[in-house]
Short mmCIF file of all heavy atoms in Angstrom, two decimals:
data_model
loop_
_atom_site.label_atom_id
_atom_site.label_comp_id
_atom_site.label_asym_id
_atom_site.label_seq_id
_atom_site.Cartn_x
_atom_site.Cartn_y
_atom_site.Cartn_z
N MET A 273 4.61 14.06 -12.86
CA MET A 273 4.51 12.66 -13.16
C MET A 273 5.57 12.22 -14.17
O MET A 273 6.02 11.09 -14.11
CB MET A 273 3.12 12.31 -13.67
CG MET A 273 2.08 12.33 -12.60
SD MET A 273 0.53 11.47 -12.96
CE MET A 273 0.16 11.90 -14.62
N GLU A 274 5.95 13.11 -15.05
CA GLU A 274 6.98 12.75 -16.03
C GLU A 274 8.30 12.44 -15.35
O GLU A 274 9.05 11.60 -15.83
CB GLU A 274 7.14 13.84 -17.07
CG GLU A 274 5.99 13.86 -18.07
CD GLU A 274 6.25 14.78 -19.23
OE1 GLU A 274 7.43 14.99 -19.57
OE2 GLU A 274 5.27 15.29 -19.78
N ASP A 275 8.57 13.11 -14.22
CA ASP A 275 9.80 12.82 -13.48
C ASP A 275 9.81 11.36 -13.03
O ASP A 275 10.85 10.70 -13.08
CB ASP A 275 9.93 13.72 -12.25
CG ASP A 275 10.22 15.17 -12.62
OD1 ASP A 275 10.61 15.43 -13.77
OD2 ASP A 275 10.06 16.03 -11.75
N LEU A 276 8.66 10.86 -12.61
CA LEU A 276 8.58 9.46 -12.20
C LEU A 276 8.84 8.53 -13.38
O LEU A 276 9.56 7.54 -13.26
CB LEU A 276 7.21 9.16 -11.57
CG LEU A 276 6.96 9.72 -10.19
CD1 LEU A 276 5.54 9.41 -9.74
CD2 LEU A 276 7.96 9.17 -9.18
N LEU A 277 8.26 8.84 -14.52
CA LEU A 277 8.43 7.96 -15.68
C LEU A 277 9.86 7.93 -16.19
O LEU A 277 10.26 6.97 -16.85
CB LEU A 277 7.46 8.36 -16.80
CG LEU A 277 5.99 8.09 -16.51
CD1 LEU A 277 5.13 8.55 -17.69
CD2 LEU A 277 5.75 6.62 -16.21
N GLU A 278 10.65 8.95 -15.86
CA GLU A 278 12.06 8.94 -16.25
C GLU A 278 12.83 7.84 -15.53
O GLU A 278 13.92 7.48 -15.94
CB GLU A 278 12.70 10.30 -15.97
CG GLU A 278 12.21 11.38 -16.92
CD GLU A 278 12.81 12.74 -16.62
OE1 GLU A 278 13.77 12.81 -15.81
OE2 GLU A 278 12.31 13.72 -17.18
N ARG A 279 12.25 7.27 -14.49
CA ARG A 279 12.88 6.18 -13.75
C ARG A 279 12.67 4.82 -14.43
O ARG A 279 13.28 3.84 -14.05
CB ARG A 279 12.32 6.11 -12.33
CG ARG A 279 12.65 7.33 -11.50
CD ARG A 279 11.89 7.31 -10.18
NE ARG A 279 12.31 8.40 -9.34
CZ ARG A 279 13.36 8.39 -8.54
NH1 ARG A 279 14.10 7.32 -8.44
NH2 ARG A 279 13.67 9.44 -7.82
N ILE A 280 11.80 4.78 -15.44
CA ILE A 280 11.49 3.54 -16.13
C ILE A 280 12.24 3.51 -17.46
O ILE A 280 12.25 4.50 -18.19
CB ILE A 280 9.97 3.42 -16.40
CG1 ILE A 280 9.15 3.63 -15.13
CG2 ILE A 280 9.65 2.08 -17.08
CD1 ILE A 280 9.29 2.56 -14.10
N ARG A 281 12.85 2.39 -17.74
CA ARG A 281 13.59 2.22 -19.00
C ARG A 281 13.22 0.89 -19.63
O ARG A 281 12.74 -0.02 -18.96
CB ARG A 281 15.11 2.24 -18.75
CG ARG A 281 15.65 3.58 -18.34
CD ARG A 281 15.61 4.54 -19.53
NE ARG A 281 16.15 5.83 -19.21
CZ ARG A 281 15.41 6.90 -18.93
NH1 ARG A 281 14.11 6.81 -18.90
NH2 ARG A 281 15.97 8.04 -18.67
N SER A 282 13.49 0.80 -20.92
CA SER A 282 13.28 -0.43 -21.66
C SER A 282 14.36 -0.53 -22.72
O SER A 282 14.62 0.44 -23.44
CB SER A 282 11.90 -0.43 -22.31
OG SER A 282 11.71 -1.61 -23.04
N SER A 283 14.99 -1.69 -22.80
CA SER A 283 16.03 -1.94 -23.79
C SER A 283 15.95 -3.40 -24.19
O SER A 283 15.89 -4.27 -23.31
CB SER A 283 17.40 -1.61 -23.19
OG SER A 283 18.41 -2.03 -24.07
N PRO A 284 15.97 -3.71 -25.48
CA PRO A 284 15.88 -5.11 -25.91
C PRO A 284 16.97 -6.00 -25.32
O PRO A 284 16.78 -7.19 -25.18
CB PRO A 284 16.00 -5.03 -27.43
CG PRO A 284 15.70 -3.63 -27.80
CD PRO A 284 16.06 -2.79 -26.60
N GLN A 285 18.10 -5.42 -24.96
CA GLN A 285 19.21 -6.20 -24.42
C GLN A 285 19.06 -6.54 -22.95
O GLN A 285 19.80 -7.37 -22.42
CB GLN A 285 20.54 -5.45 -24.61
CG GLN A 285 20.92 -5.18 -26.04
CD GLN A 285 20.24 -3.95 -26.61
OE1 GLN A 285 19.71 -3.11 -25.89
NE2 GLN A 285 20.23 -3.84 -27.93
N ILE A 286 18.14 -5.90 -22.27
CA ILE A 286 17.96 -6.12 -20.82
C ILE A 286 16.53 -6.58 -20.56
O ILE A 286 15.58 -5.90 -20.93
CB ILE A 286 18.26 -4.83 -20.02
CG1 ILE A 286 19.68 -4.36 -20.31
CG2 ILE A 286 18.08 -5.08 -18.52
CD1 ILE A 286 20.02 -3.01 -19.73
N LEU A 287 16.39 -7.73 -19.94
CA LEU A 287 15.09 -8.32 -19.61
C LEU A 287 14.16 -8.41 -20.82
O LEU A 287 12.95 -8.23 -20.71
CB LEU A 287 14.41 -7.52 -18.49
CG LEU A 287 15.12 -7.43 -17.15
CD1 LEU A 287 14.35 -6.54 -16.19
CD2 LEU A 287 15.31 -8.82 -16.55
N ARG A 288 14.77 -8.67 -21.99
CA ARG A 288 14.01 -8.81 -23.24
C ARG A 288 13.11 -7.61 -23.53
O ARG A 288 12.02 -7.73 -24.08
CB ARG A 288 13.18 -10.07 -23.22
CG ARG A 288 14.00 -11.32 -23.17
CD ARG A 288 13.10 -12.51 -23.27
NE ARG A 288 13.65 -13.55 -22.42
CZ ARG A 288 13.02 -14.65 -22.11
NH1 ARG A 288 11.81 -14.86 -22.56
NH2 ARG A 288 13.57 -15.54 -21.35
N GLY A 289 13.55 -6.44 -23.09
CA GLY A 289 12.81 -5.22 -23.37
C GLY A 289 11.69 -4.90 -22.41
O GLY A 289 10.97 -3.92 -22.59
N ARG A 290 11.54 -5.72 -21.38
CA ARG A 290 10.47 -5.43 -20.40
C ARG A 290 10.78 -4.12 -19.68
O ARG A 290 11.93 -3.85 -19.35
CB ARG A 290 10.37 -6.56 -19.38
CG ARG A 290 9.78 -7.82 -19.92
CD ARG A 290 9.64 -8.86 -18.81
NE ARG A 290 9.00 -10.04 -19.30
CZ ARG A 290 9.65 -11.13 -19.71
NH1 ARG A 290 10.97 -11.16 -19.69
NH2 ARG A 290 8.98 -12.18 -20.14
N PRO A 291 9.77 -3.32 -19.40
CA PRO A 291 10.01 -2.09 -18.64
C PRO A 291 10.62 -2.44 -17.28
O PRO A 291 10.20 -3.39 -16.62
CB PRO A 291 8.61 -1.49 -18.47
CG PRO A 291 7.81 -2.09 -19.58
CD PRO A 291 8.37 -3.46 -19.79
N ARG A 292 11.61 -1.66 -16.88
CA ARG A 292 12.33 -1.92 -15.64
C ARG A 292 12.71 -0.59 -14.99
O ARG A 292 12.62 0.46 -15.63
CB ARG A 292 13.60 -2.72 -15.92
CG ARG A 292 14.56 -1.97 -16.83
CD ARG A 292 15.80 -2.75 -17.20
NE ARG A 292 16.52 -2.08 -18.27
CZ ARG A 292 17.31 -1.02 -18.11
NH1 ARG A 292 17.48 -0.51 -16.91
NH2 ARG A 292 17.91 -0.47 -19.14
N ILE A 293 13.13 -0.68 -13.74
CA ILE A 293 13.61 0.52 -13.05
C ILE A 293 15.02 0.83 -13.55
O ILE A 293 15.88 -0.05 -13.60
CB ILE A 293 13.61 0.30 -11.52
CG1 ILE A 293 12.20 -0.05 -11.02
CG2 ILE A 293 14.16 1.52 -10.81
CD1 ILE A 293 11.14 1.00 -11.29
N LYS A 294 15.23 2.05 -13.94
CA LYS A 294 16.51 2.51 -14.49
C LYS A 294 17.66 2.10 -13.58
O LYS A 294 17.59 2.27 -12.36
CB LYS A 294 16.46 4.03 -14.64
CG LYS A 294 17.70 4.65 -15.22
CD LYS A 294 17.51 6.15 -15.33
CE LYS A 294 18.75 6.83 -15.82
NZ LYS A 294 18.56 8.28 -15.92
N GLY A 295 18.70 1.55 -14.19
CA GLY A 295 19.89 1.17 -13.44
C GLY A 295 19.78 -0.16 -12.71
O GLY A 295 20.68 -0.53 -11.96
N THR A 296 18.67 -0.88 -12.91
CA THR A 296 18.48 -2.17 -12.26
C THR A 296 17.99 -3.19 -13.28
O THR A 296 17.71 -2.85 -14.42
CB THR A 296 17.43 -2.10 -11.12
OG1 THR A 296 16.12 -2.04 -11.70
CG2 THR A 296 17.66 -0.92 -10.21
N ARG A 297 17.87 -4.42 -12.82
CA ARG A 297 17.24 -5.47 -13.60
C ARG A 297 15.93 -5.87 -12.92
O ARG A 297 15.49 -7.00 -13.01
CB ARG A 297 18.19 -6.66 -13.75
CG ARG A 297 19.46 -6.29 -14.54
CD ARG A 297 20.36 -7.47 -14.73
NE ARG A 297 19.80 -8.49 -15.60
CZ ARG A 297 19.82 -8.47 -16.93
NH1 ARG A 297 20.39 -7.45 -17.56
NH2 ARG A 297 19.31 -9.45 -17.64
N ILE A 298 15.31 -4.92 -12.25
CA ILE A 298 14.04 -5.14 -11.57
C ILE A 298 12.93 -4.64 -12.49
O ILE A 298 12.81 -3.43 -12.74
CB ILE A 298 14.00 -4.42 -10.20
CG1 ILE A 298 15.14 -4.92 -9.32
CG2 ILE A 298 12.65 -4.63 -9.54
CD1 ILE A 298 15.37 -4.10 -8.08
N ALA A 299 12.16 -5.59 -13.00
CA ALA A 299 11.09 -5.25 -13.94
C ALA A 299 9.91 -4.62 -13.20
O ALA A 299 9.63 -4.96 -12.04
CB ALA A 299 10.63 -6.51 -14.67
N VAL A 300 9.24 -3.73 -13.89
CA VAL A 300 8.05 -3.08 -13.34
C VAL A 300 7.04 -4.13 -12.90
O VAL A 300 6.45 -4.03 -11.83
CB VAL A 300 7.44 -2.10 -14.36
CG1 VAL A 300 6.06 -1.63 -13.93
CG2 VAL A 300 8.37 -0.91 -14.57
N HIS A 301 6.85 -5.17 -13.72
CA HIS A 301 5.85 -6.18 -13.38
C HIS A 301 6.18 -6.89 -12.07
O HIS A 301 5.28 -7.31 -11.34
CB HIS A 301 5.66 -7.19 -14.52
CG HIS A 301 6.70 -8.24 -14.59
ND1 HIS A 301 6.63 -9.41 -13.88
CD2 HIS A 301 7.84 -8.29 -15.31
CE1 HIS A 301 7.69 -10.15 -14.16
NE2 HIS A 301 8.44 -9.49 -15.01
N MET A 302 7.45 -7.01 -11.72
CA MET A 302 7.83 -7.65 -10.46
C MET A 302 7.33 -6.82 -9.27
O MET A 302 6.83 -7.38 -8.29
CB MET A 302 9.35 -7.83 -10.41
CG MET A 302 9.87 -8.80 -11.45
SD MET A 302 11.67 -8.73 -11.67
CE MET A 302 12.27 -9.18 -10.07
N ILE A 303 7.48 -5.53 -9.36
CA ILE A 303 7.02 -4.64 -8.29
C ILE A 303 5.50 -4.67 -8.20
O ILE A 303 4.93 -4.79 -7.10
CB ILE A 303 7.53 -3.20 -8.53
CG1 ILE A 303 9.07 -3.18 -8.50
CG2 ILE A 303 6.94 -2.23 -7.51
CD1 ILE A 303 9.68 -1.89 -8.99
N LEU A 304 4.84 -4.59 -9.35
CA LEU A 304 3.38 -4.61 -9.36
C LEU A 304 2.84 -5.93 -8.81
O LEU A 304 1.89 -5.93 -8.01
CB LEU A 304 2.85 -4.37 -10.77
CG LEU A 304 3.20 -3.02 -11.39
CD1 LEU A 304 2.70 -2.95 -12.82
CD2 LEU A 304 2.65 -1.87 -10.56
N GLU A 305 3.43 -7.04 -9.20
CA GLU A 305 2.99 -8.34 -8.70
C GLU A 305 3.23 -8.47 -7.20
O GLU A 305 2.39 -9.02 -6.48
CB GLU A 305 3.68 -9.46 -9.46
CG GLU A 305 3.19 -9.60 -10.88
CD GLU A 305 3.98 -10.60 -11.70
OE1 GLU A 305 4.91 -11.26 -11.17
OE2 GLU A 305 3.69 -10.74 -12.89
N ALA A 306 4.36 -7.96 -6.73
CA ALA A 306 4.65 -8.02 -5.29
C ALA A 306 3.60 -7.24 -4.51
O ALA A 306 3.08 -7.72 -3.49
CB ALA A 306 6.05 -7.47 -5.02
N MET A 307 3.27 -6.06 -4.98
CA MET A 307 2.28 -5.25 -4.28
C MET A 307 0.88 -5.86 -4.40
O MET A 307 0.11 -5.83 -3.44
CB MET A 307 2.32 -3.82 -4.77
CG MET A 307 3.68 -3.18 -4.45
SD MET A 307 3.70 -1.41 -4.60
CE MET A 307 2.76 -0.94 -3.17
N ALA A 308 0.57 -6.45 -5.55
CA ALA A 308 -0.73 -7.10 -5.71
C ALA A 308 -0.87 -8.31 -4.79
O ALA A 308 -1.98 -8.65 -4.37
CB ALA A 308 -0.92 -7.52 -7.16
N SER A 309 0.26 -8.93 -4.44
CA SER A 309 0.21 -10.09 -3.55
C SER A 309 0.08 -9.68 -2.08
O SER A 309 -0.01 -10.55 -1.21
CB SER A 309 1.45 -10.96 -3.74
OG SER A 309 2.59 -10.35 -3.16
N GLY A 310 0.11 -8.38 -1.83
CA GLY A 310 -0.09 -7.90 -0.48
C GLY A 310 1.12 -7.23 0.15
O GLY A 310 1.04 -6.78 1.29
N MET A 311 2.22 -7.18 -0.56
CA MET A 311 3.40 -6.51 -0.01
C MET A 311 3.16 -5.00 0.05
O MET A 311 2.55 -4.42 -0.85
CB MET A 311 4.65 -6.80 -0.85
CG MET A 311 5.13 -8.23 -0.76
SD MET A 311 6.56 -8.56 -1.82
CE MET A 311 7.87 -7.76 -0.89
N SER A 312 3.63 -4.39 1.11
CA SER A 312 3.57 -2.93 1.24
C SER A 312 4.78 -2.32 0.53
O SER A 312 5.71 -3.04 0.14
CB SER A 312 3.59 -2.54 2.72
OG SER A 312 4.85 -2.89 3.28
N VAL A 313 4.77 -1.02 0.41
CA VAL A 313 5.93 -0.32 -0.15
C VAL A 313 7.17 -0.66 0.68
O VAL A 313 8.24 -0.94 0.13
CB VAL A 313 5.70 1.20 -0.22
CG1 VAL A 313 6.96 1.92 -0.64
CG2 VAL A 313 4.55 1.54 -1.14
N GLU A 314 7.02 -0.66 1.99
CA GLU A 314 8.15 -0.98 2.87
C GLU A 314 8.66 -2.39 2.62
O GLU A 314 9.87 -2.63 2.61
CB GLU A 314 7.75 -0.81 4.34
CG GLU A 314 7.47 0.63 4.75
CD GLU A 314 6.09 1.14 4.30
OE1 GLU A 314 5.21 0.32 3.92
OE2 GLU A 314 5.91 2.37 4.29
N ASP A 315 7.74 -3.34 2.41
CA ASP A 315 8.14 -4.72 2.10
C ASP A 315 8.91 -4.79 0.79
O ASP A 315 9.92 -5.50 0.69
CB ASP A 315 6.91 -5.64 2.00
CG ASP A 315 6.17 -5.83 3.31
OD1 ASP A 315 6.79 -5.68 4.39
OD2 ASP A 315 4.96 -6.12 3.25
N VAL A 316 8.44 -4.06 -0.20
CA VAL A 316 9.12 -4.04 -1.50
C VAL A 316 10.52 -3.49 -1.34
O VAL A 316 11.49 -4.02 -1.90
CB VAL A 316 8.31 -3.22 -2.53
CG1 VAL A 316 9.10 -2.98 -3.80
CG2 VAL A 316 6.99 -3.92 -2.85
N LEU A 317 10.67 -2.44 -0.55
CA LEU A 317 11.99 -1.84 -0.35
C LEU A 317 12.92 -2.77 0.42
O LEU A 317 14.14 -2.75 0.20
CB LEU A 317 11.85 -0.49 0.37
CG LEU A 317 11.09 0.58 -0.41
CD1 LEU A 317 10.94 1.85 0.43
CD2 LEU A 317 11.74 0.88 -1.74
N LEU A 318 12.37 -3.59 1.29
CA LEU A 318 13.19 -4.59 1.98
C LEU A 318 13.60 -5.71 1.02
O LEU A 318 14.72 -6.21 1.08
CB LEU A 318 12.43 -5.19 3.17
CG LEU A 318 12.26 -4.28 4.38
CD1 LEU A 318 11.33 -4.92 5.41
CD2 LEU A 318 13.63 -3.98 5.01
N GLN A 319 12.68 -6.09 0.13
CA GLN A 319 12.97 -7.14 -0.86
C GLN A 319 14.05 -6.68 -1.84
O GLN A 319 14.92 -7.46 -2.21
CB GLN A 319 11.68 -7.48 -1.62
CG GLN A 319 11.84 -8.48 -2.74
CD GLN A 319 12.07 -9.89 -2.26
OE1 GLN A 319 11.61 -10.26 -1.20
NE2 GLN A 319 12.78 -10.67 -3.04
N TRP A 320 13.95 -5.43 -2.28
CA TRP A 320 14.90 -4.87 -3.25
C TRP A 320 15.45 -3.56 -2.69
O TRP A 320 14.97 -2.47 -3.03
CB TRP A 320 14.22 -4.62 -4.59
CG TRP A 320 13.74 -5.87 -5.26
CD1 TRP A 320 14.51 -6.85 -5.81
CD2 TRP A 320 12.39 -6.27 -5.48
NE1 TRP A 320 13.72 -7.83 -6.34
CE2 TRP A 320 12.40 -7.50 -6.17
CE3 TRP A 320 11.14 -5.70 -5.17
CZ2 TRP A 320 11.25 -8.17 -6.53
CZ3 TRP A 320 10.00 -6.38 -5.53
CH2 TRP A 320 10.05 -7.59 -6.21
N PRO A 321 16.47 -3.64 -1.85
CA PRO A 321 16.98 -2.42 -1.19
C PRO A 321 17.55 -1.37 -2.14
O PRO A 321 17.71 -0.21 -1.75
CB PRO A 321 18.07 -2.95 -0.25
CG PRO A 321 18.20 -4.40 -0.48
CD PRO A 321 17.14 -4.84 -1.42
N GLU A 322 17.83 -1.75 -3.38
CA GLU A 322 18.35 -0.77 -4.34
C GLU A 322 17.26 0.17 -4.86
O GLU A 322 17.55 1.17 -5.50
CB GLU A 322 19.06 -1.45 -5.51
CG GLU A 322 18.21 -2.42 -6.30
CD GLU A 322 18.30 -3.86 -5.82
OE1 GLU A 322 18.13 -4.12 -4.61
OE2 GLU A 322 18.51 -4.72 -6.67
N LEU A 323 16.00 -0.15 -4.56
CA LEU A 323 14.89 0.70 -4.98
C LEU A 323 14.62 1.81 -3.97
O LEU A 323 14.95 1.68 -2.79
CB LEU A 323 13.61 -0.12 -5.14
CG LEU A 323 13.60 -1.18 -6.23
CD1 LEU A 323 12.26 -1.90 -6.24
CD2 LEU A 323 13.91 -0.59 -7.58
N SER A 324 13.97 2.85 -4.43
CA SER A 324 13.52 3.94 -3.57
C SER A 324 11.99 4.00 -3.63
O SER A 324 11.37 3.38 -4.49
CB SER A 324 14.09 5.28 -4.05
OG SER A 324 13.51 5.63 -5.30
N VAL A 325 11.42 4.77 -2.73
CA VAL A 325 9.97 4.97 -2.75
C VAL A 325 9.55 5.54 -4.10
O VAL A 325 8.53 5.14 -4.67
CB VAL A 325 9.53 5.89 -1.59
CG1 VAL A 325 8.06 6.28 -1.73
CG2 VAL A 325 9.79 5.23 -0.25
N GLN A 326 10.35 6.44 -4.66
CA GLN A 326 10.03 7.03 -5.96
C GLN A 326 10.03 5.97 -7.06
O GLN A 326 9.22 6.05 -7.98
CB GLN A 326 11.02 8.15 -6.29
CG GLN A 326 10.90 9.36 -5.37
CD GLN A 326 9.57 10.04 -5.49
OE1 GLN A 326 8.62 9.70 -4.79
NE2 GLN A 326 9.47 10.99 -6.39
N ASP A 327 10.93 4.99 -6.97
CA ASP A 327 10.94 3.91 -7.96
C ASP A 327 9.64 3.11 -7.89
O ASP A 327 9.06 2.76 -8.93
CB ASP A 327 12.12 2.96 -7.72
CG ASP A 327 13.47 3.61 -8.00
OD1 ASP A 327 13.55 4.50 -8.87
OD2 ASP A 327 14.43 3.22 -7.33
N VAL A 328 9.17 2.82 -6.70
CA VAL A 328 7.91 2.08 -6.53
C VAL A 328 6.75 2.90 -7.08
O VAL A 328 5.88 2.38 -7.79
CB VAL A 328 7.69 1.69 -5.06
CG1 VAL A 328 6.34 1.02 -4.87
CG2 VAL A 328 8.82 0.78 -4.57
N ARG A 329 6.74 4.18 -6.77
CA ARG A 329 5.70 5.07 -7.30
C ARG A 329 5.74 5.10 -8.82
O ARG A 329 4.70 5.12 -9.49
CB ARG A 329 5.84 6.47 -6.73
CG ARG A 329 5.49 6.55 -5.25
CD ARG A 329 5.58 7.96 -4.69
NE ARG A 329 4.64 8.83 -5.40
CZ ARG A 329 4.88 10.10 -5.70
NH1 ARG A 329 6.00 10.67 -5.34
NH2 ARG A 329 3.98 10.82 -6.34
N ALA A 330 6.95 5.10 -9.39
CA ALA A 330 7.09 5.09 -10.85
C ALA A 330 6.50 3.82 -11.44
O ALA A 330 5.82 3.86 -12.47
CB ALA A 330 8.56 5.23 -11.23
N ALA A 331 6.74 2.68 -10.81
CA ALA A 331 6.18 1.42 -11.29
C ALA A 331 4.66 1.45 -11.24
O ALA A 331 3.99 1.00 -12.18
CB ALA A 331 6.73 0.26 -10.46
N LEU A 332 4.11 1.97 -10.16
CA LEU A 332 2.66 2.08 -10.03
C LEU A 332 2.08 2.99 -11.11
O LEU A 332 1.05 2.68 -11.72
CB LEU A 332 2.27 2.57 -8.64
CG LEU A 332 2.55 1.61 -7.49
CD1 LEU A 332 2.37 2.33 -6.16
CD2 LEU A 332 1.66 0.39 -7.58
N LEU A 333 2.72 4.11 -11.33
CA LEU A 333 2.25 5.04 -12.36
C LEU A 333 2.33 4.40 -13.74
O LEU A 333 1.39 4.50 -14.54
CB LEU A 333 3.07 6.33 -12.33
CG LEU A 333 2.74 7.35 -13.41
CD1 LEU A 333 1.28 7.80 -13.31
CD2 LEU A 333 3.68 8.54 -13.31
N TYR A 334 3.43 3.73 -14.03
CA TYR A 334 3.58 3.07 -15.33
C TYR A 334 2.46 2.03 -15.52
O TYR A 334 1.84 1.97 -16.58
CB TYR A 334 4.94 2.40 -15.45
CG TYR A 334 5.15 1.79 -16.81
CD1 TYR A 334 5.69 2.53 -17.85
CD2 TYR A 334 4.77 0.49 -17.07
CE1 TYR A 334 5.85 1.99 -19.11
CE2 TYR A 334 4.91 -0.07 -18.33
CZ TYR A 334 5.47 0.69 -19.34
OH TYR A 334 5.61 0.15 -20.59
N GLY A 335 2.20 1.25 -14.49
CA GLY A 335 1.13 0.27 -14.57
C GLY A 335 -0.22 0.92 -14.83
O GLY A 335 -1.01 0.43 -15.63
N ALA A 336 -0.49 2.01 -14.16
CA ALA A 336 -1.75 2.73 -14.35
C ALA A 336 -1.87 3.25 -15.77
O ALA A 336 -2.91 3.10 -16.41
CB ALA A 336 -1.87 3.87 -13.35
N LEU A 337 -0.82 3.85 -16.28
CA LEU A 337 -0.86 4.40 -17.63
C LEU A 337 -0.93 3.30 -18.68
O LEU A 337 -1.62 3.44 -19.69
CB LEU A 337 0.35 5.30 -17.87
CG LEU A 337 0.38 6.59 -17.07
CD1 LEU A 337 1.68 7.34 -17.30
CD2 LEU A 337 -0.81 7.47 -17.39
N ALA A 338 -0.24 2.20 -18.44
CA ALA A 338 -0.23 1.10 -19.40
C ALA A 338 -1.62 0.49 -19.56
O ALA A 338 -1.98 0.03 -20.63
CB ALA A 338 0.77 0.04 -18.98
N THR A 339 -2.39 0.49 -18.50
CA THR A 339 -3.73 -0.08 -18.58
C THR A 339 -4.73 0.92 -19.12
O THR A 339 -5.88 0.57 -19.34
CB THR A 339 -4.20 -0.59 -17.22
OG1 THR A 339 -4.22 0.49 -16.28
CG2 THR A 339 -3.32 -1.71 -16.72
N ASN A 340 -4.28 2.14 -19.36
CA ASN A 340 -5.13 3.16 -19.95
C ASN A 340 -4.97 3.18 -21.47
O ASN A 340 -5.44 4.07 -22.14
CB ASN A 340 -4.80 4.54 -19.35
CG ASN A 340 -5.85 5.57 -19.64
OD1 ASN A 340 -7.00 5.23 -19.93
ND2 ASN A 340 -5.48 6.83 -19.58
N TYR A 341 -4.26 2.19 -22.00
CA TYR A 341 -4.03 2.03 -23.44
C TYR A 341 -3.33 3.21 -24.08
O TYR A 341 -3.58 3.53 -25.22
CB TYR A 341 -5.35 1.71 -24.17
CG TYR A 341 -5.99 0.47 -23.64
CD1 TYR A 341 -7.09 0.57 -22.80
CD2 TYR A 341 -5.50 -0.78 -23.95
CE1 TYR A 341 -7.69 -0.57 -22.28
CE2 TYR A 341 -6.09 -1.93 -23.44
CZ TYR A 341 -7.18 -1.82 -22.62
OH TYR A 341 -7.76 -2.94 -22.12
N GLU A 342 -2.50 3.86 -23.33
CA GLU A 342 -1.68 4.93 -23.90
C GLU A 342 -0.32 4.38 -24.23
O GLU A 342 0.21 3.53 -23.53
CB GLU A 342 -1.50 6.08 -22.89
CG GLU A 342 -2.77 6.81 -22.59
CD GLU A 342 -2.54 7.96 -21.62
OE1 GLU A 342 -1.39 8.41 -21.48
OE2 GLU A 342 -3.51 8.40 -21.01
N TRP A 343 0.26 4.87 -25.32
CA TRP A 343 1.62 4.49 -25.65
C TRP A 343 2.55 5.30 -24.77
O TRP A 343 2.43 6.52 -24.67
CB TRP A 343 1.90 4.76 -27.12
CG TRP A 343 3.28 4.34 -27.50
CD1 TRP A 343 3.74 3.06 -27.64
CD2 TRP A 343 4.39 5.19 -27.77
NE1 TRP A 343 5.05 3.05 -27.99
CE2 TRP A 343 5.48 4.36 -28.08
CE3 TRP A 343 4.58 6.56 -27.80
CZ2 TRP A 343 6.74 4.85 -28.41
CZ3 TRP A 343 5.82 7.05 -28.12
CH2 TRP A 343 6.89 6.19 -28.43
N ILE A 344 3.47 4.61 -24.11
CA ILE A 344 4.38 5.27 -23.18
C ILE A 344 5.79 5.14 -23.72
O ILE A 344 6.37 4.06 -23.72
CB ILE A 344 4.29 4.63 -21.78
CG1 ILE A 344 2.85 4.70 -21.27
CG2 ILE A 344 5.25 5.31 -20.82
CD1 ILE A 344 2.61 3.86 -20.04
N PRO A 345 6.37 6.23 -24.23
CA PRO A 345 7.74 6.14 -24.75
C PRO A 345 8.75 5.96 -23.61
O PRO A 345 8.62 6.57 -22.56
CB PRO A 345 7.95 7.49 -25.45
CG PRO A 345 6.97 8.41 -24.79
CD PRO A 345 5.82 7.57 -24.34
N LEU A 346 9.70 5.08 -23.83
CA LEU A 346 10.74 4.83 -22.82
C LEU A 346 12.10 5.13 -23.42
O LEU A 346 12.33 4.88 -24.60
CB LEU A 346 10.70 3.38 -22.34
CG LEU A 346 9.41 2.95 -21.65
CD1 LEU A 346 9.43 1.46 -21.38
CD2 LEU A 346 9.25 3.71 -20.36
N GLY A 347 12.99 5.64 -22.57
CA GLY A 347 14.34 5.93 -23.05
C GLY A 347 15.29 4.82 -22.74
O GLY A 347 15.02 3.83 -22.17
#
């Protein structure tokens, strides 16, 4: 699971520090909201072709851990 979290980054200079997929300006919350609205993983990948299935899984994992009230360090 730590390998997945390595795909998530946060920097105050990019998206005001919101967690995002490494190397992109696609915020984790955008992926989570898209999937919550009914988009499938395949739909998300069509919407943002620069993402991989692993990136989507990383966003889901980050969301799960964030709601577990754990502090998640980001690089």
Side-chain angles (χ1 to χ4, degrees):
M273 287 198 318
E274 285 189 28
D275 290 344
L276 287 177
L277 291 179
E278 289 178 11
R279 295 171 175 276
I280 308 292
R281 291 289 182 259
S282 179
S283 171
Q285 298 83 15
I286 302 172
L287 299 176
R288 296 185 217 170
R290 288 183 177 97
R292 62 183 168 79
I293 302 300
K294 181 180 176 180
T296 76
R297 296 182 68 82
I298 301 168
V300 168
H301 80 86
M302 294 166 61
I303 298 168
L304 297 176
E305 288 173 3
M307 296 195 73
S309 74
M311 290 177 75
S312 66
V313 173
E314 293 78 16
D315 294 335
V316 170
L317 296 177
L318 287 172
Q319 176 73 29
W320 296 290
E322 58 268 51
L323 296 180
S324 69
V325 171
Q326 293 296 90
D327 292 329
V328 175
R329 290 183 61 216
L332 292 169
L333 176 60
Y334 184 89
L337 292 175
T339 59
N340 195 22
Y341 301 104
E342 293 182 20
W343 182 72
I344 303 168
L346 297 173

